Amino acid sequence: FWSLVAEFCCGFFVILILGNFWFLAVLYLLWLYLDWETPCTGGRRSQWVRSWTVWKYFREYFPIHLVKTSDLSPNHNYLLGFHPHGVLVAGAFGNFCTGPSFKNLFPGLTPYLHIMPIWFGCPFFREYIMSAGMVSASKDSVSYVLNNQGGGHASVIVVGGAEESLNAHPGSLTLNILKRKGFIKMALKHGAHLVPVFSFGENELFKQVANPKGSWLRNVQEKLQKIMGFALPLFHARGVFQYSFGLIPYRQPIHTVVGSPIPVKQNLNPTAEEIEQLHALYLQNLRNLFEEHKRNYGIPEHKSLIFE
């Protein structure tokens, strides 16, 4: 979906260049040059855009719910690890970029959803995603958010990244997280409290062409992901007037459960051992969060998270 919107924005920009409005394209390129660092310095959110009525229908379509398990004091900064990536990342967008749910449940906190920097190079599309509260997933961007001395900021990072979207099959509980420790180091360097977030139903929105590890399709997808920076899962769901095939996601409820914070003491130069210890604690808390709530959202008792 986001790729289609980005392509539309790029196409519109090309039309400006080729048409009689090339001067507008030149002005925008100048603006792009001057504004290039904004996605790494907190972005430029618009409450008007975040409150569009279309997002209300978007959330109600699945529907999308945000579930609170613990208070998050606005006196601290937080790093929220979002799992799993899924294909659409609908729970992250619906809960942290639209509507009043987060603000009502966690007053005093401002969420920033970090996404791949490549999206902010797309003309016009970058303005749209920044207005929704999205910022770059670069180290500088995360540091900018977590450096707020007064607290009240929450970085939301989809830890599994694009690679994890290739595991987004219905019923899949595999998370790409064992080698992902950069977010742990960032939390330590800034003293940001870690909060595991699990979005039940995220992997149920689309069916994906079988791509087991070692298959030719998976090998091609992984190579393309390394080259382009984002994955290309081959997925399908339903159509507008029929349920057998299309690109519209299935109507499956999404419950994004925000766990309890893990207190983190600031350490500007954490050792590998300290990072490893906090990473292990985070994994345990994430697993506990999943086990505590899985029965509420239709996960069989014998199923558990798989960390890769």
Side-chain angles (χ1 to χ4, degrees):
F1 172 75
W2 298 119
S3 297
L4 292 175
V5 177
E7 289 174 7
F8 173 81
C9 291
C10 289
F12 180 69
F13 183 70
V14 171
I15 291 174
L16 288 181
I17 294 176
L18 299 179
N20 295 325
F21 302 97
W22 59 267
F23 62 94
L24 293 178
V26 172
L27 288 176
Y28 183 79
L29 285 175
L30 176 61
W31 162 257
L32 195 62
Y33 173 77
L34 297 174
D35 194 57
W36 190 255
E37 295 299 322
T38 301
C40 295
T41 54
R44 186 171 47 249
R45 68 180 56 220
S46 164
Q47 191 56 41
W48 175 67
V49 173
R50 290 167 59 89
S51 301
W52 280 352
T53 302
V54 67
W55 303 135
K56 175 177 178 290
Y57 294 123
F58 171 80
R59 294 190 305 273
E60 292 178 350
Y61 171 80
F62 297 98
I64 295 174
H65 303 280
L66 186 65
V67 181
K68 173 182 176 179
T69 65
S70 176
D71 289 332
L72 298 181
S73 170
N75 297 323
H76 301 290
N77 293 320
Y78 299 88
L79 196 159
L80 279 62
F82 183 91
H83 313 271
H85 183 287
V87 171
L88 190 60
V89 204
F93 177 75
N95 286 310
F96 303 119
C97 295
T98 75
S101 295
F102 187 88
K103 181 179 180 181
N104 292 340
L105 291 177
F106 304 102
L109 283 185
T110 301
Y112 297 80
L113 179 60
H114 295 270
I115 64 174
M116 291 185 298
I118 188 174
W119 295 115
F120 295 98
C122 181
F124 301 114
F125 182 66
R126 69 189 296 273
E127 320 302 335
Y128 162 63
I129 56 180
M130 276 197 291
S131 66
M134 299 184 219
V135 292
S136 172
S138 67
K139 291 181 180 179
D140 290 342
S141 177
V142 177
S143 292
Y144 184 91
V145 173
L146 298 181
N147 266 337
N148 182 42
Q149 297 300 318
H153 284 188
S155 281
V156 183
I157 297 178
V158 185
V159 177
E163 182 183 358
E164 193 172 84
S165 67
L166 300 179
N167 291 328
H169 296 271
S172 173
L173 296 173
T174 300
L175 304 180
N176 292 68
I177 193 172
L178 291 182
K179 296 181 180 180
R180 307 217 172 217
K181 300 174 184 176
F183 74 106
I184 298 292
K185 186 175 182 179
M186 293 298 291
L188 281 166
K189 291 183 71 172
H190 296 283
H193 295 192
L194 278 168
V195 182
V197 178
F198 195 87
S199 195
F200 291 90
E202 200 74 44
N203 284 339
E204 318 306 316
L205 306 185
F206 297 93
K207 292 179 180 178
Q208 191 172 165
V209 175
N211 60 342
K213 287 196 172 183
S215 65
W216 69 269
L217 175 57
R218 185 61 167 256
N219 291 336
V220 170
Q221 289 174 319
E222 290 176 347
K223 288 179 181 178
L224 289 175
Q225 189 263 324
K226 290 179 181 179
I227 295 172
M228 300 185 298
F230 56 91
L232 292 173
L234 298 180
F235 60 89
H236 65 89
R238 54 162 292 184
V240 178
F241 301 111
Q242 45 77 29
Y243 293 84
S244 57
F245 189 82
L247 295 179
I248 298 176
Y250 293 115
R251 297 192 70 175
Q252 296 289 338
I254 297 172
H255 293 84
T256 303
V257 183
V258 180
S260 300
I262 303 171
V264 177
K265 185 177 180 180
Q266 187 174 24
N267 184 347
L268 296 178
N269 296 292
T271 64
E273 182 180 2
E274 290 169 331
I275 293 173
E276 192 67 40
Q277 289 176 349
L278 184 56
H279 186 258
L281 177 60
Y282 178 86
L283 293 183
Q284 185 59 54
N285 281 36
L286 175 59
R287 188 180 296 278
N288 291 343
L289 178 69
F290 174 81
E291 292 294 330
E292 181 180 351
H293 294 275
K294 67 180 183 181
R295 301 171 192 82
N296 298 332
Y297 306 116
I299 307 296
E301 184 66 32
H302 66 278
K303 287 209 168 188
S304 296
L305 293 179
I306 300 172
F307 295 147
E308 288 187 348

